[in-house]
Amino acid sequence: MISSDVIRGYNDTIILYLLLEKQSYGYEISKRIKELSNGKYVIKETTLYSAFNRLLKKGYIESFHKEQTFGKKRTYYRITESGLLYYQEKCREWELTKEVINQFIREDYL
Amino acid sequence: MISSDVIRGYNDTIILYLLLEKQSYGYEISKRIKELSNGKYVIKETTLYSAFNRLLKKGYIESFHKEQTFGKKRTYYRITESGLLYYQEKCREWELTKEVINQFIREDYL
DNA sequence: TGAAATTACTACGACAGATGAAGTAAATGG
DNA sequence: CCATTTACTTCATCTGTCGTAGTAATTTCA
């Protein structure tokens, strides 16, 4: 399992990546994160929904409702133009972060 | 520059890595972090010293004073046995974290 | 058919780690 | 001798995560 202090700062990026694939809603996103990480990372519900609110406030995502006759009503989210820009920025930052932290990791200890 | 939310969770590891090289003190460690990261990461003083306290409390490092007739009195730190174990654990965790986050990064956006 | 599990959230409070601001004090450099 | 660098400490604030709890509809399955 992965400590949350590491992922902190990348939860938003993870969510944006999934919304880039397709518009989605809370429950689906949490399943997809677990799936894509091979069960290595399971986001907490409260973490996920507070991330949605943060991203909404910043204008990086938009929420909307679909007409649906079945299932419980869901709030869907889609990524915005500025959300995409933010995501790209974060991707670049991630490459840098990897470089930096790698400098302090001893390969012979793995 | 790198956002602190990413490094958070790895500041302790970075410090332990440097203490593994040799016993050291605050100022020297902060210089060394800047140096090894090619200026890409500069740890804040308060972050550094609060990390020391955390690591001391957990028993991952020990502090001591050297006899010195010159220079301002410094608090030196050395890594402990359990600090080494913790560091190794973090190195393994880092490899996992990289794998997971990489799943959500689009290479075509770099 | 009825109970349990799953889906799909919301609200609230606590906590940890990072950080800004400010201060102290000795040593060194020009 | 004055500014800068070295070497910290204290304190208060902020952000993001997470535990706990609650609501409510829908699906499963015995």
Side-chain angles (χ1 to χ4, degrees):
Chain A
M1 236 30 50
I2 285 175
S3 97
S4 55
D5 266 337
V6 193
I7 297 283
R8 190 197 184 104
Y10 274 89
N11 275 324
D12 291 9
T13 311
I14 288 172
I15 292 166
L16 291 177
Y17 170 84
L18 295 173
L19 292 180
L20 205 63
E21 283 192 326
K22 71 181 190 65
Q23 55 191 40
S24 186
Y25 57 95
Y27 199 72
E28 194 178 44
I29 284 183
S30 79
K31 293 286 143 191
R32 193 104 181 85
I33 290 175
K34 190 177 175 182
E35 193 187 319
L36 279 182
S37 71
N38 293 310
K40 282 169 201 149
Y41 180 47
V42 181
I43 196 167
K44 301 284 182 307
E45 275 183 284
T46 38
T47 302
L48 180 62
Y49 290 108
S50 81
F52 280 144
N53 289 326
R54 193 166 46 244
L55 290 167
L56 278 171
K57 219 178 282 176
K58 289 185 185 164
Y60 296 156
I61 60 173
E62 285 166 357
S63 66
F64 63 100
H65 289 276
K66 272 188 181 171
E67 302 295 313
Q68 49 176 40
T69 41
F70 59 93
K72 215 201 159 188
K73 206 183 284 183
R74 298 164 182 154
T75 305
Y76 278 85
Y77 300 94
R78 71 167 78 87
I79 190 170
T80 64
E81 200 52 41
S82 78
L84 174 61
L85 289 175
Y86 176 73
Y87 173 75
Q88 291 177 302
E89 206 181 293
K90 277 297 190 172
C91 284
R92 274 179 247 114
E93 191 197 81
W94 171 241
E95 295 303 311
L96 231 120
T97 304
K98 271 197 287 187
E99 268 177 53
V100 169
I101 298 189
N102 279 337
Q103 289 296 313
F104 302 93
I105 298 295
R106 291 187 56 151
E107 300 288 334
D108 52 329
Y109 280 178
L110 308 178
Chain B
M1 240 23 53
I2 285 176
S3 98
S4 54
D5 266 338
V6 193
I7 296 283
R8 190 196 184 104
Y10 273 89
N11 275 324
D12 290 10
T13 311
I14 287 171
I15 292 166
L16 291 176
Y17 169 83
L18 294 174
L19 292 181
L20 205 63
E21 282 191 328
K22 72 181 188 66
Q23 55 191 39
S24 186
Y25 57 95
Y27 198 73
E28 194 179 44
I29 284 183
S30 78
K31 293 286 143 191
R32 193 104 180 84
I33 290 175
K34 190 177 176 182
E35 192 188 319
L36 279 180
S37 71
N38 293 311
K40 283 169 200 149
Y41 181 45
V42 181
I43 196 167
K44 302 284 183 308
E45 277 184 282
T46 38
T47 302
L48 180 62
Y49 290 108
S50 80
F52 280 145
N53 289 325
R54 193 166 48 245
L55 290 166
L56 278 171
K57 219 179 280 175
K58 289 185 185 165
Y60 296 157
I61 60 173
E62 285 166 356
S63 66
F64 63 100
H65 290 275
K66 272 188 182 171
E67 302 295 312
Q68 49 176 40
T69 40
F70 59 93
K72 214 200 158 187
K73 207 184 283 183
R74 299 165 182 153
T75 306
Y76 278 84
Y77 300 95
R78 71 167 77 88
I79 191 170
T80 64
E81 200 53 42
S82 77
L84 174 62
L85 289 175
Y86 177 74
Y87 173 75
Q88 290 176 303
E89 207 181 292
K90 277 296 188 172
C91 283
R92 274 179 247 115
E93 191 197 80
W94 171 241
E95 295 303 312
L96 231 120
T97 303
K98 271 197 289 187
E99 269 178 53
V100 168
I101 298 188
N102 279 337
Q103 290 297 312
F104 303 93
I105 297 295
R106 292 187 56 151
E107 300 288 334
D108 52 329
Y109 280 178
L110 308 178

